[in-house]
Amino acid sequence: MKIFNLSMECYPVAKVGGLADVVGALPKYLNRIEGIESSVVMPWYNKPFVHDHSFEIIFDGWIHQSHHTFQVQVMKERENSLGFDLYLVKIPGLLDRDNPYGYWDESQQFLAFQHAVLHWLSAMQIRPDVLHCHDYHTGLVPFMIENCPEFRFLKGVKTIGTIHNGEYQGQMVWDMAKYFPWFYGENWGLLDWNGYINPLTTMIKCCTAFNAVSGGYMDELFQDFRGLESLVQQEYLKANGIINGIDTEVWDPYIDPFLDFNYKKENAEQGKWQNKKALCEEYGLNPDLPLFSFIGRFAGEKGADFLPEIVWKSIQQSQGQHNIIILGSGDKSIENELSSLNASFSNFALDLGYKEYLSHRIYASSDFLLMPSRVEPCGLNQMYAMRYGTIPIVRYTGGLRDTVEDISTGGSGINFGSASAEDAVNAIHRALHIFKDRDLMERLVQTNMSFDFSWEKSAEKYLALYRK
Ligand code: NHF
């Protein structure tokens, strides 16, 4: 079975968020199953990975967008170093950028990617069994293969649409239709949602099947999906929930090259302490105090706007009896508020930016990881944390409720109900009590480290969906 994953991100080539981790791991694990050939197709970016690896050009062609003509090149990585075939699509001026997102003309950029991929596959008569489209950026593919005569060779190819984050839908004005490959006009309704072109709704309408990245999130989308709940309810026969895995070969405290000290379950107490000591010394924190952390984008969905209040309230209330470290970037007002707290609270350390190596060190060093998310389709951080023996404190939502069970019901994490700073601070107080009980702490660390969040199980579920 031949599967092409179409995505804007893939770790380690280009990563903005969890989407990259999933696309960088799922095909690798699927390829270990006999008869499966899963590969990744993504845009070319000006990133170290593409310069440090060798590629061969396997396709050279042209696409038309409105009255513009663009050259398209598809290159394939020579060494297969990621455990799957990696194809990069390059279009000078549109797909040759430094980063995946943040450009004024990104709708056109995503359209060009989808157009170019389908043009390449059609021209070279490559007919995969499944086109697996990740998020709205590739959500128009299921429509295009059925409705654009240019891609008639691909008509009937099965498509899966994975919703990693339904908050982003790629809505654009109808004028943008001029950048589409020519399509049969009578089917315009498949593109339309409330007077706009909405690639996420088009994906849901046109794909063979779609899934959210956890059962919990899928359930929530049926209830409340920024106005799309009626569509999901209507298409319920195609809906699935498949929880993500984590790449346990990349995320393993025993071999992780970013850690100051490697450790496994048997010496976790000592290993975590040594990592914590090194990290705390670097950031001027007292390692004897419990360490709480937050890692991620400063965005409303992640509840990052609660962080400043969580920091000052919880530290004031505990009278400086715990430390907090935050690694992330995003919303400038949150960055500014946290920076000024950093200057006035000695129990608080802030590192602005996206630093993969530092995130590994923080997972290993922390006692607790905080995720006050408003929305969390799956969440990977809580799984990384548990693998590193860190206790997750999560809001009860989406994938977080599927993966973290509260101590009070026999689990090994802490749940809180409402998306608010107040609930998060109360959860920190619960954690501070737990921290005082060394035996309980040790038990929780051991339990969390024994969970199996590996991709094998989730890859099997995707395989079952492909087969269906
Ligand atoms: O885990 C990968 C990730 C999810 O919850 C995460 C999110 C974006 O918000 O599927 O995508």
Side-chain angles (χ1 to χ4, degrees):
M1 187 190 293
K2 207 182 179 73
I3 304 133
F4 280 86
N5 289 277
L6 313 184
S7 171
M8 298 310 286
E9 301 176 40
C10 171
Y11 180 79
V13 189
K15 170 170 169 174
V16 177
L19 167 62
D21 290 341
V22 172
V23 175
L26 173 62
K28 180 168 96 177
Y29 285 89
L30 277 170
N31 283 341
R32 294 180 186 167
I33 303 170
E34 209 179 309
I36 303 298
E37 212 185 293
S38 182
S39 51
V40 172
V41 188
M42 67 185 293
W44 186 98
Y45 299 109
N46 184 25
K47 292 276 185 203
F49 185 95
V50 305
H51 300 297
D52 298 345
H53 290 76
S54 119
F55 289 86
E56 69 174 304
I57 298 175
I58 56 153
F59 179 74
D60 223 320
W62 304 89
I63 59 164
H64 300 282
Q65 267 197 344
S66 184
H67 54 275
H68 305 287
T69 302
F70 290 102
Q71 189 196 3
V72 172
Q73 275 187 341
V74 180
M75 22 198 134
K76 181 169 185 269
E77 200 229 341
R78 282 208 167 89
E79 294 104 32
N80 197 303
S81 63
L82 301 177
F84 50 80
D85 286 340
L86 172 70
Y87 300 94
L88 303 183
V89 182
K90 190 170 187 180
I91 298 182
L94 276 179
L95 302 180
D96 59 351
R97 299 181 161 174
D98 289 344
N99 295 302
Y101 317 115
Y103 301 93
W104 67 272
D105 58 351
E106 62 179 21
S107 298
Q108 203 186 331
Q109 172 192 334
F110 303 151
L111 271 168
F113 175 64
Q114 299 171 84
H115 189 160
V117 172
L118 298 182
H119 174 67
W120 156 53
L121 296 177
S122 308
M124 291 193 63
Q125 307 237 310
I126 302 169
R127 202 179 144 89
D129 296 292
V130 179
L131 283 169
H132 189 156
C133 306
H134 295 269
D135 270 347
Y136 84 83
H137 324 103
T138 57
L140 294 167
V141 162
F143 171 85
M144 288 179 179
I145 61 174
E146 293 304 320
N147 294 286
C148 300
E150 187 184 338
F151 313 129
R152 71 177 68 81
F153 175 76
L154 297 168
K155 214 170 162 42
V157 167
K158 304 287 183 260
T159 50
I160 304 283
T162 296
I163 305 170
H164 294 267
N165 194 338
E167 296 293 290
Y168 301 97
Q169 304 180 0
Q171 177 171 293
M172 56 183 123
V173 292
W174 264 100
D175 192 41
M176 288 298 291
K178 63 176 184 260
Y179 294 118
F180 277 57
W182 193 84
F183 59 93
Y184 299 117
E186 71 264 24
N187 291 337
W188 67 274
L190 294 170
L191 295 172
D192 189 78
W193 191 258
N194 291 338
Y196 291 92
I197 296 175
N198 181 320
L200 191 67
T201 57
T202 302
M203 177 167 105
I204 295 170
K205 291 179 201 173
C206 300
C207 64
T208 319
F210 65 96
N211 75 291
V213 288
S214 70
Y217 186 50
M218 192 72 244
D219 290 347
E220 286 169 10
L221 296 182
F222 276 102
Q223 312 288 330
D224 178 13
F225 188 178
R226 294 191 168 269
L228 269 54
E229 36 314 316
S230 60
L231 176 64
V232 180
Q233 288 160 14
Q234 200 177 316
E235 300 282 359
Y236 76 98
L237 286 174
K238 302 198 299 194
N240 300 269
I242 303 180
I243 191 91
N244 289 329
I246 58 171
D247 193 335
T248 45
E249 287 162 11
V250 173
W251 295 92
D252 180 354
Y254 193 48
I255 52 166
D256 190 328
F258 297 127
L259 300 193
D260 296 296
F261 298 95
N262 289 112
Y263 61 95
K264 50 186 169 181
K265 242 174 87 179
E266 290 69 32
N267 64 344
E269 194 177 357
Q270 183 202 5
K272 282 187 73 67
W273 166 250
Q274 284 173 320
N275 281 293
K276 183 180 179 184
K277 210 160 148 273
L279 188 83
C280 285
E281 264 161 27
E282 209 170 302
Y283 285 90
L285 302 170
N286 173 0
D288 291 323
L289 298 180
L291 180 63
F292 293 77
S293 55
F294 172 94
I295 299 171
R297 277 185 301 122
F298 296 164
E301 317 149 38
K302 303 291 175 198
D305 48 320
F306 303 133
L307 289 173
E309 193 178 335
I310 293 173
V311 169
W312 69 258
K313 242 192 199 152
S314 72
I315 293 179
Q316 258 175 9
Q317 287 177 5
S318 82
Q319 297 176 330
Q321 283 316 297
H322 68 279
N323 292 322
I324 301 182
I325 183 163
I326 291 181
L327 167 66
S329 59
D331 188 311
K332 290 293 164 224
S333 65
I334 301 176
E335 287 189 5
N336 293 341
E337 272 186 79
L338 290 173
S339 300
S340 55
L341 287 175
N342 191 25
S344 41
F345 280 88
S346 57
N347 291 64
F348 173 48
L350 174 69
D351 209 307
L352 290 178
Y354 169 69
K355 295 174 184 165
E356 187 76 16
Y357 69 93
L358 184 57
S359 72
H360 289 237
R361 292 182 65 206
I362 295 178
Y363 288 119
S365 309
S366 304
D367 299 293
F368 301 94
L369 178 93
L370 185 64
M371 296 181 75
S373 308
R374 284 192 177 81
V375 183
E376 199 61 81
C378 171
L380 299 171
N381 292 7
Q382 79 280 14
M383 296 194 260
Y384 298 144
M386 290 189 261
R387 177 124 171 102
Y388 283 59
T390 298
I391 299 162
I393 303 179
V394 303
R395 188 182 156 234
Y396 193 71
T397 184
L400 296 177
R401 64 180 227 220
D402 290 1
T403 50
V404 179
E405 194 183 342
D406 194 87
I407 297 166
S408 62
T409 53
S412 51
I414 295 178
N415 292 155
F416 59 95
S418 77
S420 67
E422 205 188 340
D423 264 27
V425 171
N426 288 337
I428 290 179
H429 285 305
R430 282 185 69 200
L432 289 172
H433 281 294
I434 292 166
F435 187 79
K436 288 189 192 132
D437 184 341
R438 294 316 300 165
D439 291 342
L440 176 58
M441 274 303 280
E442 183 52 21
R443 240 185 10 253
L444 296 177
V445 169
Q446 293 292 317
T447 311
N448 283 324
M449 287 186 81
S450 14
F451 288 130
D452 176 11
F453 292 118
S454 66
W455 260 110
E456 274 95 5
K457 276 193 288 180
S458 305
E460 285 289 349
K461 293 202 176 116
Y462 274 104
L463 185 57
L465 186 58
Y466 297 154
R467 289 206 164 118
K468 196 165 130 193

